[in-house]
Amino acid sequence: MRKHIVAGNWKMNKTFEQADDLINEIVEKLETTELDRNTLLILCPPFPYLEMTSDYANDSYFMVGAQDVSSHKEGAYTGEISAAMLDSMDLDYCIVGHSERRQYHGESNAMVAAKVDQLLKHDIKPIVCCGEVLAERESEKQFDVVKQQIVEGLFHLSAEQFSNIVIAYEPVWAIGTGKTATPEQAQEIHAFIRNLIAEKYGKEVADNTSILYGGSCKPSNAKEIFAQADVDGGLIGGACLKAVDFLAIATSF
Ligand code: 13P
C-alpha cells in the first residue's frame, strides 16, 4: 500500500530561533496527535537548519528533507549543496524541480533528471515537482506540460529506481495564491500521472507511487483533496509554517 505523505516546504522562511520554536512546537504537538500509521510526515527546512531538524527528528515522528540539491557531484560550484553532503547528514528526502526553482533559477527537466540521479546514488528519495502555469491551464495544455516534465525528468530511470520517487503535482497558479485546484481537477491530473507511470513501469509500480498535491493546501481544504482516489497527501508551503495548521493537514486523511 502506498504511503500517505504530508511534507512541509518551508521555502525561504524563518530565522534560526524561529525555526527552533516551530520544530519544537511540532514535536510537542506530535506527542498528542494521532497520526495514521500509514502517514509519513516530512519537514523540509532551509539548508542551515537541516542539522537541527534532524536532531529533533531522532526523538520524534517525522523525517527530514532538503529543498534542493546540486546536479553536480562535487567541486567548484560555489553555494551549491551536493547529494553526498545531504547523505552525510542522513537526510531521507529532497525536493527537486519545484516551480520556483524552474521559474527563478532556470531549472530544466534535464537538470531535474541530473539531480534525481545524484540523489538516488545516495539513497535519498526525490520528491519531484511538476505542474503547469496559468496560461498553460487556460489553453488546456496541462496534460502535455506535466507529461513532458515527468517523461524528461524521470523516465530514464529503471523501475527499481523509480520505486523511490515521490511525485508532487503543484499547479503553479495555485501556489501561494489562495486559489486551490478543485478536488476534481487534482484527481484528474493525479490519475493521469499514475496512468503515465503504469504505461511505462507497470501497474504495481504505479500503484505504489505516492502522488502529492501542492498549492494553497490548508486545514480547510485538505480533507476534500486528500479524499480523492489518486491524491496521496500534500506538499505544503504557507500552511506548514504554523505547527497547528501543518498537523491539522497531516491528520486530514
Ligand atoms: P503554498 O502551500 O504556499 O501554496 O505552496 C505550495 C508549495 O509550493 C509547496 O511546495
Side-chain angles (χ1 to χ4, degrees), residues 136-149:
E136 291 163 344
R137 162 84 38 182
E138 284 174 347
S139 53
E140 291 177 20
K141 292 208 178 76
Q142 66 270 28
F143 296 106
D144 293 341
V145 170
V146 166
K147 180 174 180 179
Q148 194 172 1
Q149 289 169 335

Side-chain angles (χ1 to χ4, degrees), residues 9 11 98 100 170 174-176 214-217 235-238:
N9 175 8
K11 308 192 179 184
H98 192 279
E100 287 147 19
E170 301 204 307
I175 295 178
S216 299
C217 189
L235 181 55
I236 317 300

Side-chain angles (χ1 to χ4, degrees), residues 156-202:
H156 62 290
L157 300 176
S158 68
E160 196 191 334
Q161 288 175 313
F162 194 90
S163 63
N164 293 297
I165 300 293
V166 175
I167 291 186
Y169 167 64
E170 301 204 307
V172 182
W173 46 271
I175 295 178
T177 57
K179 268 193 211 165
T180 322
T182 63
E184 294 74 24
Q185 283 173 325
Q187 168 58 21
E188 188 182 32
I189 287 264
H190 282 231
F192 171 76
I193 294 171
R194 199 175 307 284
N195 197 41
L196 277 180
I197 301 168
E199 280 172 7
K200 170 80 180 167
Y201 294 108

Side-chain angles (χ1 to χ4, degrees), residues 2 23 32 39 47 51 65 68 74 84 102 104 114 128-129 140 143 152 181 238:
R2 59 184 178 259
I23 306 167
T32 53
T39 301
F47 287 123
E51 188 178 358
D68 187 29
E74 65 180 351
R102 294 178 189 264
Y104 306 130
V128 182
C129 303
E140 291 177 20
F143 296 106
E152 293 181 7

